[in-house]
Amino acid sequence: MKENTEVLKTLGDSILEYIKRKPAVPGAIAVTVVIAIIIGIAGGPAQVVNAIVAGGMWALLATGLTMILGVMNVPNFFHGESFMVGAYTAYFIFTPIHLYLMDNPNKFLSTIAPFAGFFAAAVIGFILGSILEKLVFYPLRSKTKERWVMNSFLLTVGVSYILSNGVNLVLGPNFRGIPRYWDVPPIKFFTIRLTVDRLFAFFLAMVVLLLLWYFMGKTRTGRAIRAVSQDEAGAAMVGININNIHTLTFSLGTSMAAIAGAALLFMFQAYPTVGLRPLYYAWYVVMLVGLGNVSAAVVGGFIVAFLQTATQQFFGIEWGEVVPTVVMMIVLIVAPSGIFGSEVKGIQEQ
Amino acid sequence: MIKSTGKASTIARTLMSRTGFSSSGIILIAILAVLPFIPPFNSEYILRWLVVGAFMAAQAVAFDLTAGFINVVNFGFAAILGVGAYTSAILANTGPHIIVQPGISPWIGIFIGAFASAFLGFILGFLTLRLRGLYAAIMAWFVGIALLGLARTLTPLTRGSLGMSPPSFFDTPSNMPYYYLALGMMITIYIVTKLVTTSHIGLAFKALGQNFDAARASGINPTFYRVFNFTLSCFFAGLLGGFYAHYFVSMTPKAIMHTSKSVETLAIAFIGGRGFLWGGIVVAFPFVFLLEYLRSALPQLPGIHIIIYGVLMILVMIYYPNGVAGFITELKKKLWRLRKPEKT
Amino acid sequence: MRKSKLVTFALVLSLLLPFSVMAGGKQEKEGAGAAETAEKVFTLGILGPFSGPSARTGKEFRSSATMAFEAIDWKIGEYTIKPVWIDSQSDPAKATQAYEQAVVQDGIQAGILNWHSSVAVACMEITAKYKVPHFFGFGATEVVNEKFHSNPDKYGYWMYKGWPTPKKLSVNYVQALEDAIEEGLWNPGEKTFAIYGEDTDWGRSFGKGIKEQLEKAGWRMVAEDYFPIEQTEFYPLLNKLKGINPALIAGTSTAPPSFSSFIKQADEVGLESLIVADGLGWVGEWYKLTGTSSNYVIDQIPGWATEAGKEFAQKFKDQFGIDPSPSSGGLSYDGTRFFIAVARKAIEEYGELSSESIYNFVKNFVWEGKWSFKDGIVMSEYAATPETVPDPVVGKGYYIFPVLQYFDGEGKIIYPPEWAVQKLQVPSK
Amino acid sequence: MLKVENVDSGYDFLQVLWGINIEINRGEFVALIGPNGAGKTTTLRTISGLLKPKGGRIFFKDELISNLPPYEITHSGLSYVSEDLNLFVNMPVYENLLMGAYIIKDEKKIKQTMEYIYELFPRLAERKKQLAGTLSGGERKMLAIARGMMSNPEMLLVDEPSLGLAPYLVRNVFDALKTLHGEGLTILLVEQNVNATLDITDRAYIIEQGKIVLSGKSKDLARNEHVQNVYLGI
C-alpha cells in the first residue's frame, strides 16, 4: 500500500517536472481536448471518431518522416511520393485478386486479400527507400557534409518531382481506385458508422507504430538507429556501420509512408500527385511537435487531425488548408522547435 | 588623347564591374537584344520561348538574392509572385465577375502589385527572423500554402480556381514588345541586385548567410538585413508577377502560386549556381528551350521535361554544388593561368 | 574533382545541344510544311483534359475523336486533317498557355471539344485574339454565355457549346422530385436541401441553378459547400451534413476520384438524405469506384439511344479497352462528327476549308437555325437558334438528358415520364 | 601491436599531422603529450578511422587499417574514447553500455562484461537507468571509458579524460585506467596533465606542431629538460 502511494508520488513528480520543462505540452493537449469536445458537441461523436481515425494515419506518416529527419537529418519532401508508390502497389496487387474473387467468391481469400496489398506496399516502399538512399543521399553524404540539411532537402525535392512525373509518364494520369477492401457493411455503434476499411486502417497504423516502438526500444538494430540519431561519431566508435543504418532508416521511413498509402487507397485512390496532401499533413505534424521527435509525432498526428476536422466543421471545406497552415505558422513563431521540442542535431546549421 | 580614352575605359570598366557586367556579359545581353531579328528566333513561337526564358531568368536572379546570399530558400516565392500578379490583375479588372472594377492601367497596377508583394516579403522577413535554414524555408513554404489557399478561397476577388483573365499590356498578338519588356526587367533586376550585393549590404548578407551567430556577434543587425533582403527579393517577385498576369492573361492560383513553381525557379537558380546571380540567366534560356523543345518533340512523354529538371538538379547538387556559374568561373581562372606565362 | 568537372561539362553540353538541334530541326520542319501545303493540310486543335484530375474524360475525348477521324481516314474533301492535342490539365491558366502555343507554334486553324467551363472562359480570350473558331467546346455554365453575349463579334469564335447551361437541364431533377412527392412516392418531411460541389465554374453554376429552382418549388437551403477539385476526404463534411440531415443533397463534380469518394463516404457515414449526383455516371467506370454505395443516387445522363450508339460503344471498347460514357465519349464523338459535317458544308459553300469558311458557315447557317446536325448517336438533333446560341436547342427531339436512379450500377430512367422504366424509389430508413 | 607509419592527416584544406610515427606493443600503456593544437586529437581520430589519413599507413595487429571505415576498426579490437565523449545522451546509462557492446553478439558475454564494468565503476551501477545526458562530468567520462570497454577491445585510445574534471575525479579516472592496464589492456592516452600522465604510463611521445619531437620511457621524459621547461613548468 505504502509502496503504491510512493510510486504514484514519483510518477506525479516526474509529470510535474516534465510540465515545468515543457509547459507547451499540456497546453497543446488541453487545447486539443477542448477542440475535441467542441467538435463532439457541434458535430456529434462521429466527428470525433473521424478525427481519431484520421489522426492514426497522420501519426504513421509523420513518424516515418520524423525518423528520417532525426536519424539522417534529411527533411524529406518526397514522403508524399512514397505514399503514392504504396497506393499504386496495393492497387496493382489487390485489383487482380479482387477481380478473380468477383468470379470465384471465396470468403477466406477475400478476407486476407487486402493484406497482400499492404504487405507488398511495405516491401516495395522499403526497396524504393534503400535504392534512393544508395543512389542519391549516399553520394551526397560522401561528397560533402557542408550545408547538409538544406542540400539534402533540395535533393528530396528533385526526387519528388522525378517520382511523381515518372509515374505519370509510365502509368498515365488516370486514377486507379477500389470501391473498398472488405465488402462488408459498416460497423454501427450509436450514431457512429465506420467501415471495416477505415477501422482497419487505424488499427494497422497503431500496429505498425507499436512494432516500431518495440523495434526501436528493444532490439539491437533499433538501438543502433537511435544511437546514430543521437551521436553519429559515437555510433561509429562503438562499431555501428552508419551507412547501413542510414539506408535502413530511410527504407523504414519510406516503407511506413507506403503502408499508409496502401491502407488509405480506398479513400485517396492512386494517381501521380496523390501524395501532396499527405505530405502537407505529415509536415504539419512534424513542425508542430518538433523535428525528429518520434514519440511526439504520434500525439501530433491526432492534434493535426482534430485541427483539420474543426476547420471543416466550422469554416467549411475550402478553408481546409488555410486554417491549419496559419496555426502552424503561429506555432513556428512562438515555439520554433515545436511544442514538444526538437531532437535533431545539426538542424540548426545555417 | 590616349590618356583620356584610357580614363574613359577605366571609368567604363569600373561602371561595368560595379553593375556586375563583364565584357562577356555585355556580349550576352547584346546577343539577347538582337536575337528576335535573327532566324529562327524571329518566329512568334520561339519568341514566346525567349519571353519565358527572360521571365524565368529574372525570377532566378530575384530568388538567388535570398537563397544565395542569406542562405534562406524561399519556398513561398511563387506564392508571393502570385500576390503581385493578383493585385495587379484585380486592379486592372473591369469585368463583372469580380466584385471590384477599379480598371487601373496595368502599367500602374504592376507597381502596386510589386509593393504588395514587397510588403508580404517584409512580413515574411520578420516571420522567419528567429528561424534558421530549414525552419525558415518551411515557414516560407507554409506562408506560400496559406496564400495559395487564400487565393483559392477568396472567390469574389480572385475567382479562385475558376481563373482570371486580366487585360494584356499591349494590344497586339506579337510577342516582340513583351520580349523587350521582360528583357528590360531582367537586366534591371540584375543590376539592382548586383549593386546591392557588391556593396557593404551584400557583405552583411553573406556574413549572415555563412554564420548567423558570428555575424550577429560582430555587430551586423540581422533584423534589418534579413527583412531588407526579403522585401527587395519579394518586390521583384511581385513585379514579375504583374508581368505574368498581363502577358499570359490567364491565371489560377494553382498555375502560378503552387510550390512546384517555386521549385522550378529554385532549380534554375541552383543549376545556374547559387550566389552568382548571373548563373540563373545563363541557364534559364537554354533550359526553357530544352524543355519547350522536349515538350513539343515528345508529346507522347508528358512531363519528361520535369523529370529532366529533377535529374539535372540532383546531379548538380551532388557533384557540382556551385552550378554552371561556378564551373565557368573556375574554367576562366584556369584559362587565365594558362595565358599568364605568355604575357610575362 | 576531375570527375565532377566532367559531369558538369556534360551537363552544359546537354543544355546547349538541343539549342542547336532545335534551330536546325525547326527550319527543316518549316520547309516540310511548305511542301505539305500543296497537299492541303488542315490543322485542328483538339482540346481536352488529357492529364490532371479529369484525365479519364480526356482519354474518352481523345479516343472518340480519333475514331471519328479514322472513319473518314483523316480526310475532309481534299484536306488532310492534322490533329494537335491540347492538354488543358483541367486548369484554365495552363489550358490557355497550351492553346496559345498550339496557335502560334502549330498553327491550328480551328479547335474542337473541351470539358471545363473555366477552361472555356479562359480560352475564349485566345480564340478571340487569334480569330480561331472553336467548336463544340462543352463548358456549360452561364459565364460562357454571358461572355459570348458581351461581345459576340469578339467572343463569337467560341462558336457552339455542345452542352446547355446547367439550369436548362437541372430543372428536370426538380420536376422529377416534385412529381414523386405529388404521387406520394416520397415524403421528405420538411423540404430542406444542401448544395455541394466542386469549386469550379461548373460546380458553382450547377449549385446556383438548382438552388434557385428548388427554392422556387418551396424548398429551403440548409448548407452549401464547395470543395477543391482534388478533394477525396469528405468524412468531416458528410458528418456535418448528417448532423443537419437535409431531405435532399444536390451537387456535382467532374473529377471521378473526388465524386466517387463523396458517394462512397456518404454511404459509409450513413447519410440519410436523397442524393442528386449530377455527372457521377459521366465516366464509364464509375461503378468500379463506388460499388453499391451508389444505390438510390439520382443522376442525369444521356443513354445510347440509337443502334448506332450501341455499336459505337462496343467498337470503342474493342479499340481502346475502356467503356465510353455517353456524356463524354458519346458527345465528343458526336461533336467531332458535327465538326466534320460543318467542314464539308463549309467547303461546299465557300470552296475552301479555312478558319474563315468555318466561321462564316457556322455564323450564317448554324446560328440562324438553317442547318443542323441530325446524325448524332447520343442526341437526335444538334441545332441552334439565334435565341439559344451558343447553347444547343434543348428539349425532346433535340438535346435532352433523362433523369435516372442507380441500382447496382445500372441507371433506371425515372423522368421524363414517357421514357421512365420505373418510379423514384426512396431507401427505407 | 599498433604501428603508425609516416602519417599525414588533417581536415579538408588544413593539414595538421606531418609524418607521424608511433609504435605500441601489446600490453603497453603509452601517453601522447603535447600543447593545444599540436595534433593529439587528430592523431587519435586518424587512428580510429574517423579521419582518413592523407598519407602514410596505419597497422593494427599487423593488418592495414588506415583504409577501413571506423566501425570496422572497432570490430578489429580497437576502441576509442573521444574528448567530447560522444555519448548517447537520450539513452540511459545501461543502454549506452549495451551500445558499447554492439559488435558482440553473445548475450551472455555482454552480461558478464557489464557486470565487470559495474564493479569497476560502481557509480555507473547506481545510475543505471539515468539518462546519460543528465550525468555529471566525471560520471560521463567514466561512462565513456566504460562504453569503450564494453566491446572487449584489445587496445583503448583515450582522449583527455581529465579535461574539466575536479582533481579527485581525475584520480578516479586514472585509477580506472591503471586497473584496466593492469589487466592486460593496451592503452594510448592523450593528456595535457603531463605530470600525472608520465607517472602512470610506460612510455610517451611528445607531439608539437603536428610532428613527434620526442619519445621514450616516461620516467626518462619526466627528467628531460625540454619537457620540464615546457610541460612541467619546472
Side-chain angles (χ1 to χ4, degrees), chain C residues 135-136 160 334-342 366 371 373 382:
Chain C
F135 205 73
F136 221 82
Y160 186 86
D334 273 1
T336 312
R337 285 172 60 245
F338 190 174
F339 170 79
I340 294 169
V342 165
V366 180
W371 183 86
F373 181 64
Y382 295 87

Side-chain angles (χ1 to χ4, degrees), chain D residues 209-223:
Chain D
Q209 290 176 348
K211 286 175 186 139
I212 301 284
V213 290
L214 266 175
S215 66
K217 286 240 165 71
S218 297
K219 276 182 237 147
D220 300 341
L221 283 175
R223 285 194 296 271

Side-chain angles (χ1 to χ4, degrees), chain C residues 6 13 16 47 89 92 94 96-97 126 147 187 223 233 288 297 302 304 312 382 417:
Chain C
L6 270 175
L13 258 187
L16 293 177
L47 178 61
Q89 298 179 48
K94 287 174 184 160
T96 37
Q97 282 183 37
I126 308 296
K147 193 160 186 166
N187 177 19
E233 196 209 349
K288 277 193 191 157
V297 168
W304 301 117
F312 162 79
Y382 295 87

Side-chain angles (χ1 to χ4, degrees), chain A residues 217 220-221 223-224 226-228 230-231 233-242 245 343 345, chain D residues 50 70-71 74-75 80 82 85-91 95 98-100 102-105 147:
Chain A
R220 180 170 168 266
T221 318
R223 266 198 294 267
R226 281 194 294 143
V228 172
Q230 288 172 30
D231 198 308
M237 276 152 47
V238 300
I240 297 171
N241 182 344
I242 299 201
I245 292 294
E343 282 180 7
K345 293 223 179 92
Chain D
L50 292 173
Y71 71 95
T74 310
H75 279 264
Y80 173 43
S82 65
L85 306 182
N86 296 101
L87 293 175
F88 309 124
V89 288
N90 285 329
M91 286 188 186
E95 272 195 341
L98 270 181
M99 286 320 299
Y102 182 76
I103 60 169
I104 300 170
K105 294 206 169 107
R147 191 184 69 181

Side-chain angles (χ1 to χ4, degrees), chain A residues 46-47 50 173-175 177-180 191 193 195 198 266-269 271 277 309 312-313 316-318, chain C residues 50-53 55 226-227 231-233 235-237 239-240 242 257 260-261 264-265 267-270 288-289:
Chain A
Q47 204 70 312
N50 266 333
N174 295 356
F175 291 75
I178 54 166
R180 53 186 49 130
T191 55
R193 286 160 58 108
T195 51
R198 290 182 76 203
F266 70 93
M267 182 159 102
F268 276 87
Q269 312 185 9
Y271 55 99
R277 271 157 192 269
T309 311
Q312 295 205 8
Q313 174 83 31
I317 198 163
E318 68 264 40
Chain C
F50 301 125
S51 67
Y226 296 99
F227 44 82
Q231 185 86 25
T232 51
E233 196 209 349
Y235 293 108
L237 170 67
N239 260 312
K240 189 178 98 181
K242 193 187 172 192
S260 58
S261 294
K264 214 162 67 181
Q265 291 167 21
D267 183 42
E268 284 174 24
V269 302
K288 277 193 191 157
L289 296 176

Side-chain angles (χ1 to χ4, degrees), chain A residues 5-17:
Chain A
T5 48
E6 212 153 84
V7 168
L8 278 180
K9 198 166 167 266
T10 32
L11 193 72
D13 281 349
S14 56
I15 290 172
L16 272 180
E17 163 83 9

Side-chain angles (χ1 to χ4, degrees), chain C residues 18-149:
Chain C
F19 222 0
S20 48
V21 171
M22 187 217 53
K26 280 292 160 184
Q27 267 173 336
E28 234 170 69
K29 235 186 201 171
E30 269 162 32
E36 269 171 38
T37 30
E39 297 171 17
K40 295 203 177 172
V41 171
F42 187 82
T43 315
L44 179 69
I46 302 165
L47 178 61
F50 301 125
S51 67
S54 302
R56 179 65 177 68
T57 305
K59 197 171 177 197
E60 289 198 24
F61 272 36
R62 196 182 176 123
S63 309
S64 58
T66 308
M67 266 177 84
F69 280 115
E70 272 174 1
I72 56 163
D73 204 19
W74 299 93
K75 277 208 160 39
I76 299 177
E78 50 192 347
Y79 292 86
T80 305
I81 301 295
K82 186 181 155 222
V84 173
W85 305 99
I86 308 170
D87 184 7
S88 78
Q89 298 179 48
S90 297
D91 184 292
K94 287 174 184 160
T96 37
Q97 282 183 37
Y99 204 109
E100 191 158 7
Q101 203 174 355
V103 176
V104 292
Q105 188 174 328
D106 304 298
I108 59 166
Q109 292 159 282
I112 56 168
L113 306 186
N114 165 46
W115 186 238
H116 299 281
S117 302
S118 44
V119 170
V121 173
C123 284
M124 282 171 90
E125 295 287 346
I126 308 296
T127 54
K129 184 172 165 190
Y130 294 99
K131 300 200 187 323
V132 175
H134 192 100
F135 205 73
F136 221 82
F138 289 79
T141 63
E142 291 86 16
V143 193
V144 178
N145 296 42
E146 278 166 27
K147 193 160 186 166
F148 182 94
H149 290 299

Side-chain angles (χ1 to χ4, degrees), chain A residues 8-44:
Chain A
L8 278 180
K9 198 166 167 266
T10 32
L11 193 72
D13 281 349
S14 56
I15 290 172
L16 272 180
E17 163 83 9
Y18 186 70
I19 291 174
K20 251 185 236 160
R21 247 187 324 136
K22 289 173 179 165
V25 176
I29 292 173
V31 169
T32 314
V33 171
V34 170
I35 294 177
I37 293 170
I38 296 173
I39 293 173
I41 293 167

